């Protein structure tokens, strides 16, 4: 039975049906809908990249939580998109949707977090729009960046024989969100670290720039590792086999798992909002990857391989066939 409301459609089928209608792109659009950012020809050896993301209180953060963290996150989620394409962020436009009864002190705290993140990554806020809303507080940021045309990372370059890698550790943000939503009776010091990973993500921007032109494909881990690697598998026409036991977990995640009995690998596979990078690379990328690792102090871990079998799928022992965040698939979000 066809979906009768957008809540039944699923996020990506909805995008395809409603917004991906302009199949013939003008010559100055090198890459449109379907990757972490659009790529626009700038002339010369570099291109502009444009990404937009929205953070909504009560959806991407617990309602009433740290306002500065929400401001920070509005910037960080866009920086993560540019990191996944090897670009350097430059300028931003902000659409702020603010409830009229928002206390002035909380609005200023929100702005403090936003500007701290802009300063962290050297981004200039050049314009935008501010409107009153009867709904929850939300911020929508459009981020513009630059990258060498020949080195831009995309989702469609993975090839059989490549290795699948992820930076950092996985599942921490989802664990932090769970702790904020349902605080435990006994608090461990490790919980503060997990909560901080949810509130103030730090995408590995410099590492993404370091592997640009060397890795074969990349994406940021925003909706969950399985869901995001699924985008690479589908656009590249390959299968991705994951080794669940090799997924990198932080010590605080291990402490939380020990204290509660939860499965940390489930969070690592489908939790989302870690804003780390998942990427594929062949042997020729070895030198560039390790140079980026040491110059940016960024850990990465081999977690699987790209295969010709089962194109479009992410699979492996103990790996769910789907999962991760979908704004419009009720009941399917992890």
């Amino acid at each position: 039975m066809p979906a009768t409301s957008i809540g039944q459609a699923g996020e990506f089928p909805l995008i395809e049906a409603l917004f991906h209608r302009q199949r013939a792109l003008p010559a100055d659009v090198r890459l449109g809908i379907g990757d972490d950012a659009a790529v626009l020809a700038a002339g010369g050896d570099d291109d502009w990249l444009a990404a937009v993301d929205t953070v909504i209180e009560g959806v991407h953060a617990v309602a009433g939580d740290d306002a500065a963290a929400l401001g920070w996150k509005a910037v960080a989620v866009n920086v993560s998109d540019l990191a996944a394409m090897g670009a350097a962020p430059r300028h931003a436009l902000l659409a702020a949707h603010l409830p009229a009864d928002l206390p002035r002190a909380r609005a200023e705290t929100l702005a403090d977090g936003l500007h701290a993140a802009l300063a962290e990554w050297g981004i200039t806020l050049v314009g935008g729009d501010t409107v009153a809303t009867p709904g929850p507080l939300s911020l929508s940021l459009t981020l513009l960046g630059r990258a060498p045309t020949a080195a831009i990372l995309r989702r469609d370059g993975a090839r059989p024989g490549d290795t699948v890698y992820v930076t950092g550790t996985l599942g921490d943000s989802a664990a932090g969100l769970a702790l904020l939503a349902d605080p435990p009776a006994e608090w461990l010091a490790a919980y503060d670290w997990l909560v901080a990973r949810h509130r103030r993500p730090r995408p590995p921007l410099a590492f993404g720039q370091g592997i640009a032109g060397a890795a074969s494909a990349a994406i940021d881990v925003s909706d969950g590792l399985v869901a995001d690697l699924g985008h690479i598998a589908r656009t590249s026409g390959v299968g991705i086999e994951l080794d669940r036991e090799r997924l990198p977990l932080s010590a605080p995640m291990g402490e939380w798992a020990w204290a509660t009995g939860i499965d940390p690998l489930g969070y690592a596979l489908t939790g989302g909002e870690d804003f780390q990078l998942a990427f594929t690379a062949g042997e020729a990328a070895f030198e560039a990857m390790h140079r980026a690792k040491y110059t940016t102090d960024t850990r990465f871990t081999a977690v699987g391989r790209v295969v010709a079998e089962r194109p479009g799928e992410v699979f492996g022992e103990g790996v769910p066939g789907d999962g991760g965040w979908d704004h419009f698939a009720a009941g399917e979000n992890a």
Side-chain angles (χ1 to χ4, degrees):
M1 181 179 297
T4 57
S5 70
I6 64 171
Q8 298 173 293
E11 180 178 356
F12 297 101
L14 185 69
I15 292 170
E16 182 68 23
L18 298 185
F19 305 120
H20 197 186
R21 297 182 180 180
Q22 294 175 299
R23 303 300 179 180
L25 298 175
D28 60 347
V29 178
R30 298 193 192 276
L31 183 63
I33 293 173
D35 219 299
D36 283 291
V39 180
L40 310 175
D45 296 330
D46 286 359
D47 285 334
W48 283 108
L49 288 90
V52 60
D53 261 303
T54 301
V55 293
I56 304 172
E57 189 169 35
V59 177
H60 302 93
V62 174
D65 194 36
D66 182 359
L70 191 66
W72 175 283
K73 200 169 191 178
V75 179
V77 298
N78 280 280
V79 169
S80 186
D81 284 332
L82 293 196
M85 300 189 75
R90 297 280 295 276
H91 312 303
L93 298 163
L94 175 69
H97 314 101
L98 308 178
D101 60 355
L102 181 69
R104 175 62 181 261
R106 192 157 195 265
E108 291 181 352
T109 301
L110 178 79
D112 289 343
L114 175 87
H115 285 285
L118 293 170
E120 174 77 12
W121 288 295
I123 300 164
T124 303
L125 186 63
V126 295
D129 189 27
T130 303
V131 298
T133 177
L137 185 161
S138 69
L139 301 174
S140 183
L141 192 91
T142 299
L143 185 58
L144 302 176
R146 299 276 292 210
T149 304
I152 292 172
L153 292 169
R154 297 169 50 144
R155 298 177 181 179
D156 61 0
R159 298 292 179 264
D162 288 350
T163 300
V164 181
Y165 301 91
V166 294
T167 61
T169 56
L170 299 173
D172 300 317
S173 176
L177 177 60
L179 288 164
L180 284 170
D182 186 18
E186 295 185 13
W187 197 264
L188 298 177
Y191 295 176
D192 290 332
W193 191 90
L194 294 170
V195 167
R197 285 291 299 271
H198 173 70
R199 284 175 168 164
R200 286 179 171 79
R202 291 181 176 272
L205 178 66
F207 183 85
Q209 295 167 6
I211 63 170
S216 54
I219 192 170
D220 74 326
V221 183
S222 54
D223 295 328
L225 182 65
V226 172
D228 290 318
L229 284 177
H231 294 311
I232 288 181
R234 285 186 290 275
T235 57
S236 295
V238 297
I240 292 180
E241 183 177 13
L242 283 181
D243 184 346
R244 171 185 164 101
E245 300 304 318
R246 299 190 70 176
L247 299 182
L249 302 175
S250 67
M253 171 65 89
E255 189 171 351
W256 183 50
W258 177 85
T260 61
I262 59 95
D263 174 17
L265 293 177
Y267 278 79
L269 285 164
T270 63
E273 290 215 330
D274 282 308
F275 300 109
Q276 294 295 331
L277 298 185
F279 63 99
T280 62
E283 292 182 0
F286 182 88
E287 182 178 346
M289 289 163 48
H290 284 80
R291 184 186 307 113
K293 172 183 177 178
Y294 292 112
T295 57
T296 68
D297 192 25
T298 302
R299 165 188 177 181
F300 63 82
T301 305
V303 297
R305 63 194 184 105
V306 179
V307 297
E309 299 77 30
R310 301 175 65 171
E313 296 184 40
V314 178
F315 60 93
E317 185 176 352
V319 175
D322 54 18
W325 181 259
D326 184 321
H327 279 279
F328 296 96
E332 293 185 8
N333 295 333

